[in-house]
Amino acid sequence: MALSVDIEKRLGAFTLKVAFEADNGVTALLGASGSGKSLTCRCIAGIEKPDRGRIVLDGRVLYDSGKGVCLTPQQRHTGYLFQQYALFPTMTVWQNLACAVRDRRKRDAAVREMLGRVQMQGFEKRYPRQLSGGQQQRIALARMLLSEPDMLLLDEPFSALDSHLRFRLQNETGRIIRDFGRTVLLVSHDRDEVYRLADSIAIVRDGRIETIGEKHAIFAAPGSVEGARLTGCKNISRLRRIDGAHALAEDWGLTLPTPPLPEDVTHVGIRMHDLSPRTGGDAVACRVLEATETPFTYVVALTPEDAREKTPVRMELSKEAWLNVRAERLGVAFPLDKLLWLKA
């Protein structure tokens, strides 16, 4: 593995205790605010010192509490893109970039080439205060790449941008970091951002890595309630086993068929787009509580006919699909292969 991390650090009442490995490519640390994502990155970069553990990058030991190794941030040679970009305010764009190039003989050519890569030609004489948030982000990323780091750490790099600019810069940044060709850690709480940019995802909760894996596999089977929520599942219910083949989704008031389940499965989930109207067969008779229009879809809140005062299940349909089936009562399919079996 390109990066191996096994560290522990206590900050007040919070304890970070993470262990994971990451290959070359983009690994996202996906978690809620305060879960320990940024602290993990700061420990890897050398900004924070763990209480114990080991960090190895490409076979080079960055930190080992047992052997007394703790390289400085400069010695670790990682590129860290902060949320606020940390450009030097009294330097021009050109000066901000030039200071990152160690070989003075190559400085001018390297800066010109990088300005072209991030599409910022013509901004060389401007100061950071004269740039938009998106332009500052590109210059910060360019400066980081010019330092030729051994890995990149991107800490919520799009959090300060509006949605339109965020989408565009995610695409531009995705191209740049894939060209980098080495290990990249992306800190985020945005599932769409993670899905767009990452190859692998680590779900972070309360200072722990709950699960880690290839992004498509994590979205298909997040494994935990927190993982399901972070990957956008809106329908989650507590689960009570009835027998070996059936269980009650207690919050929905719905009995579901089940495959053999591990003992630690305590909840069930299903994504809104995996529900669909159906007549006959295994369709569940439901009452429609409300239909909320979004710019491109309807989100329909339902509850099984015989359930009372239960948490609604939400189904998302295209506007055309909803207008074709619109009614006060609907049959709804809960496909067994789309149900998410989750641990607390």
Side-chain angles (χ1 to χ4, degrees):
M1 290 289 177
L3 175 68
S4 176
V5 178
D6 186 355
I7 55 173
E8 184 174 341
K9 182 173 180 63
R10 182 180 294 276
L11 282 177
F14 179 81
T15 299
L16 178 76
K17 190 174 183 180
V18 295
F20 67 96
E21 295 181 332
D23 279 316
N24 290 334
V26 184
T27 297
L29 302 181
L30 177 63
S33 297
S35 61
K37 309 182 302 296
S38 294
L39 181 57
T40 299
C41 277
R42 292 199 300 270
C43 287
I44 294 169
I47 300 168
E48 297 276 357
K49 182 180 178 181
D51 297 328
R52 55 151 296 276
R54 197 164 189 262
I55 303 170
V56 181
L57 177 62
D58 293 330
R60 188 165 61 98
V61 178
L62 308 184
Y63 172 79
D64 190 324
S65 58
K67 296 181 178 179
V69 177
C70 185
L71 302 187
T72 66
Q74 293 76 20
Q75 291 171 327
R76 296 187 189 204
H77 209 221
T78 58
Y80 199 130
L81 183 61
F82 294 89
Q83 294 180 23
Q84 300 304 320
Y85 311 137
L87 296 173
F88 299 117
T90 59
M91 290 185 179
T92 64
V93 164
W94 183 276
Q95 290 168 333
N96 263 282
L97 297 182
C99 70
V101 183
R102 285 173 285 181
D103 189 337
R104 293 185 178 183
R105 296 168 300 175
K106 299 179 180 179
R107 184 168 289 168
D108 288 355
V111 170
R112 279 195 297 270
E113 191 272 337
M114 185 59 68
L115 284 167
R117 285 181 65 187
V118 298
Q119 300 176 13
M120 288 293 289
Q121 306 97 319
F123 291 82
E124 293 87 344
K125 296 181 180 180
R126 295 196 187 185
Y127 290 89
R129 66 179 180 275
Q130 297 172 310
L131 303 176
S132 69
Q135 291 167 339
Q136 289 184 39
Q137 195 236 37
R138 277 185 275 176
I139 294 302
L141 182 61
R143 185 180 64 182
M144 185 171 62
L145 291 170
L146 281 169
S147 70
E148 298 180 333
D150 293 330
M151 74 173 295
L152 301 181
L153 301 165
L154 310 180
D155 190 354
E156 302 273 9
F158 310 102
S159 60
L161 307 176
D162 64 67
S163 58
H164 174 75
L165 184 57
R166 186 184 305 126
F167 181 83
R168 183 165 62 83
L169 284 180
Q170 284 171 358
N171 289 335
E172 293 176 3
T173 302
R175 172 179 52 81
I176 293 170
I177 61 179
R178 290 188 189 286
D179 288 345
F180 176 63
R182 307 188 78 172
T183 303
V184 179
L185 278 191
L186 169 67
V187 168
S188 181
H189 61 266
D190 185 324
R191 59 136 192 197
D192 293 337
E193 177 178 295
V194 163
Y195 195 86
R196 192 172 295 124
L197 293 175
D199 302 301
S200 300
I201 297 172
I203 301 294
V204 186
R205 179 186 182 187
D206 297 332
R208 306 290 194 274
I209 302 290
E210 278 201 341
T211 186
I212 185 169
E214 191 272 333
K215 71 176 177 185
H216 296 99
I218 293 293
F219 272 78
S224 69
V225 171
E226 183 71 2
R229 286 176 178 149
L230 288 168
T231 56
C233 183
K234 301 295 192 295
N235 297 315
I236 299 173
S237 170
R238 293 167 297 163
L239 194 69
R240 178 164 58 85
R241 289 170 174 79
I242 298 172
D243 56 38
H246 298 86
L248 175 66
E250 294 183 296
D251 297 302
W252 305 337
L254 178 62
T255 298
L256 296 167
T258 68
L261 295 175
E263 286 299 317
D264 60 355
V265 170
T266 57
H267 290 70
V268 63
I270 190 165
R271 301 189 189 277
M272 294 194 298
H273 63 266
D274 285 329
L275 293 169
S276 58
R278 184 177 297 178
T279 57
D282 57 358
V284 176
C286 293
R287 293 178 293 118
V288 174
L289 303 181
E290 64 177 351
T292 303
E293 186 178 13
T294 73
F296 305 107
T297 65
Y298 274 92
V299 175
V300 184
L302 313 132
T303 190
E305 283 276 16
D306 55 355
R308 294 291 184 269
E309 298 181 1
K310 295 294 184 179
T311 302
V313 180
R314 288 175 168 80
M315 172 175 65
E316 188 170 36
L317 299 173
S318 70
K319 290 189 176 183
E320 180 182 5
W322 168 242
L323 293 174
N324 284 338
V325 300
R326 182 171 51 181
E328 294 182 359
R329 285 172 169 75
L330 284 176
V332 178
F334 286 73
L336 181 61
D337 63 344
K338 299 297 184 182
L339 293 174
L340 306 176
W341 308 109
L342 309 169
K343 60 185 179 181

